[in-house]
Amino acid sequence: VGVSAVATLASGFTGGIEITQISAEVDGTDDDADIMHYGLGFGYETGPLAMHINYGLFEGDDIADFDGIGVAVGYDLGGGASVLAGYNNSNYLDDDLDYDTFSLGLSMSF
C-alpha cells in the first residue's frame, strides 16, 4: 500500500514524496516482515540539462534498516544522444556500513 504526490512547476522544478508499506516473506522463516519506505525527490530541468536528487529510507522488523541518497544528471547532446551520470550513497544503519556507487553512460535513441 502506498501514497505519493508529485508537483511540477512551470519554472522547470519538480518535487515528489512517497510513503509505502510493504508486507513480505522473510527468507528461511514463516514470518512476514512489515517494511516502511519513505522517499523524497527534487528535480530541475533547463534546456538540455536535467538534474535530480532523491532520498529514500527503508525500515522495518526483521530487516536491516537502510537509507540512501542519489544524484542524477543528464545532458541532451541532440540528435537522440544524451550523456547520463549518477551517484548513490547507501547506509545500512544497523551495521554502520556505507557504500558509494557511480555511473556514467551514453543514451542513444534512433
Side-chain angles (χ1 to χ4, degrees):
V1 175
V3 63
S4 63
V6 176
T8 301
L9 304 175
S11 59
F13 287 98
T14 59
I17 187 170
E18 68 85 25
I19 300 171
T20 306
Q21 181 181 10
I22 304 164
S23 184
E25 278 187 22
V26 178
D27 287 341
T29 71
D30 291 330
D31 297 331
D32 285 343
D34 290 322
I35 304 165
M36 294 296 296
H37 178 261
Y38 308 93
L40 182 64
F42 298 99
Y44 179 69
E45 187 171 345
T46 179
L49 183 64
M51 299 168 281
H52 187 84
I53 185 167
N54 59 55
Y55 172 78
L57 169 66
F58 283 95
E59 61 183 4
D61 55 347
D62 296 327
I63 68 161
D65 294 345
F66 62 95
D67 71 350
I69 188 166
V71 178
V73 177
Y75 189 83
D76 186 353
L77 300 172
S82 296
V83 174
L84 307 170
Y87 165 75
N88 170 262
N89 175 264
S90 296
N91 301 296
Y92 289 86
L93 305 174
D94 297 340
D95 298 327
D96 293 328
L97 297 175
D98 189 20
Y99 298 95
D100 293 309
T101 57
F102 303 88
S103 64
L104 180 63
L106 182 63
S107 169
M108 294 185 291
S109 156
F110 301 99

